[in-house]
Amino acid sequence: MTARLPTAAPQPWTRTDFEAQLRERGKAYHIHHPFNVMLNTGKATPEQVRGWVANRFCYQTAIPVKDAAILANCPVREVRREWIQRILDHDGFEIGGIQDPGGIEAWLRLAEAVGLSREEVLDERHVIPAVRFAVEHYVSFARRAPWQEAVCSSLTELFAPEIHRQRLATWPEHYPWIAAEGLGYFRNRVSQARRDVEQGLQVTLDHFTTWDAQQRALAVLQMKLDILWAMNDAMAQRYGVNP
């Protein structure tokens, strides 16, 4: 019996091709989910808008917790020095006389602008169990996974500026009952997400350099895309999707 020769491992993609593969996953981003399409095309009722804002707050508050987990697991000082900015962006800060209330505060202002009270958003009484489960799964992954994989999972930010630009372009027209100052979170994240992408992409392209590693990176990114999609599935089931 003739022995089989070992099969050669596929060659890894170049950095350019690997980045293209990562960006290709944007086809599964929740910008295409029917619930989000409904929101951004002006077909949502006030109740549906409020439901989305209240449930997404659960995710917003988890972002700096996820980033703190990445920091705790990362031994590379240069990465930590840049990554910590993400926590400041969301939690806010007061350093040397400079103040920034942060993204969580901006989201609370959005909540007030759509007619929710701070109390009912902060106590998360409206959060759907499936949304909470998805968010907790993401934080748990960031705590347990190699820090480079947790960084890779953040690359849904590749697709985030477009979803924020859509909201800024369509919400004032479709939902004039929402005060303009309540949209500050979206304005801030257009530039912040673009900056965050550069760092996360650099780490991912530098670390995932073999074929197997690149396949793992794509699987991790898909997992995060699935989490965001599942959150929208839960909200669509709870609040409905208008034709």
Side-chain angles (χ1 to χ4, degrees), residues 34 36-44 166 170-171 174-175 242:
N36 181 76
V37 172
M38 176 190 70
L39 284 169
N40 284 359
T41 54
K43 296 181 174 67
Q166 279 190 9
T170 62
W171 281 37
H174 295 310
Y175 309 119
N242 303 328

Side-chain angles (χ1 to χ4, degrees), residues 71 76-85 199:
L71 284 175
V76 183
R77 182 178 66 166
E78 290 75 17
V79 173
R80 294 197 306 268
R81 289 175 67 176
E82 293 186 13
W83 205 266
I84 197 170
Q85 182 63 50
Q199 185 190 18

Side-chain angles (χ1 to χ4, degrees), residues 33-39 43 48 232-233 235-243:
H33 193 285
F35 193 79
N36 181 76
V37 172
M38 176 190 70
L39 284 169
K43 296 181 174 67
Q48 289 167 323
N232 278 268
D233 278 347
M235 287 183 277
Q237 184 176 20
R238 172 66 62 86
Y239 301 109
V241 177
N242 303 328

Side-chain angles (χ1 to χ4, degrees), residues 7-83:
T7 304
Q11 290 297 306
W13 287 304
T14 65
R15 289 176 70 91
T16 299
D17 289 343
F18 182 32
E19 180 177 342
Q21 290 291 327
L22 292 165
R23 292 185 181 276
E24 179 73 9
R25 294 309 187 272
K27 292 178 179 178
Y29 190 51
H30 68 283
I31 194 172
H32 305 296
H33 193 285
F35 193 79
N36 181 76
V37 172
M38 176 190 70
L39 284 169
N40 284 359
T41 54
K43 296 181 174 67
T45 66
E47 179 189 11
Q48 289 167 323
V49 173
R50 293 182 190 117
W52 178 78
V53 171
N55 276 272
R56 281 283 300 199
F57 183 75
C58 178
Y59 177 75
Q60 301 307 132
T61 57
I63 292 174
V65 178
K66 173 267 299 183
D67 288 324
I70 292 175
L71 284 175
N73 291 332
C74 177
V76 183
R77 182 178 66 166
E78 290 75 17
V79 173
R80 294 197 306 268
R81 289 175 67 176
E82 293 186 13
W83 205 266

Side-chain angles (χ1 to χ4, degrees), residues 157-178:
E157 293 162 342
L158 284 166
F159 323 115
E162 177 58 27
I163 205 169
H164 295 317
R165 282 193 291 265
Q166 279 190 9
R167 291 163 184 156
L168 290 169
T170 62
W171 281 37
E173 175 186 356
H174 295 310
Y175 309 119
W177 52 273
I178 301 176

